[in-house]
Amino acid sequence: MIYGIGTDVCDIRRITAALERQGERFAAKVLGDAELAIWRTRSARWPKRGMRYLATRFSAKEAFSKAVGMGMRMPMTWRSCEILNEKSGKPVIVLHGELKAWFEAQGLTAHVTVTDETDYAASFVVVERQNPPASS
């Protein structure tokens, strides 16, 4: 059963401006540890590809927060939600800490897709309820 759907379109120029103003602090605020390592590698080799990576992750986290219906408030935080890739390239949502515990207690699973084109990054997330929430 569908629990929630979220979508987000992000202007990559806005992310570029934030990064120029705040430096790596912006990326460290938005990205989890695994994402940050990938971003650093991509940015060092291909700066535009690194920027697109950051923008798609920003967008996907916004879409996820909408799909679960809580926005960016606890237990949802930028760093507790990572958008990583399986070996096949398929993007997956990896949760940590309180967010992971809450998500699992609700019996939820999530599906994510991300894309980028020139000036925009977009994401779509579907969250499903697999099991009824745990009793209180």
Side-chain angles (χ1 to χ4, degrees), residues 37-51:
I38 294 165
W39 174 76
R40 285 178 177 145
T41 300
R42 288 187 183 183
S43 294
R45 206 158 168 204
W46 306 286
K48 285 187 178 184
R49 189 167 175 216
M51 191 58 62

Side-chain angles (χ1 to χ4, degrees), residues 6 22-23 30 48 78 89 91 95 98 111 114 124 127 133:
Q22 299 177 36
V30 172
K48 285 187 178 184
W78 291 108
L95 304 176
E98 291 179 42
H111 310 278
V114 299
F124 189 77
V127 174

Side-chain angles (χ1 to χ4, degrees), residues 74-75 80 96-103:
M74 290 302 286
S80 65
H96 305 285
E98 291 179 42
L99 180 59
K100 180 179 180 178
W102 173 84
F103 194 77

Side-chain angles (χ1 to χ4, degrees), residues 50-72:
M51 191 58 62
R52 291 175 192 280
Y53 180 85
L54 179 57
T56 56
R57 273 48 195 176
F58 184 95
S59 175
K61 293 173 189 206
E62 285 282 341
F64 177 79
S65 74
K66 293 171 186 175
V68 295
M70 65 178 60
M72 284 296 175

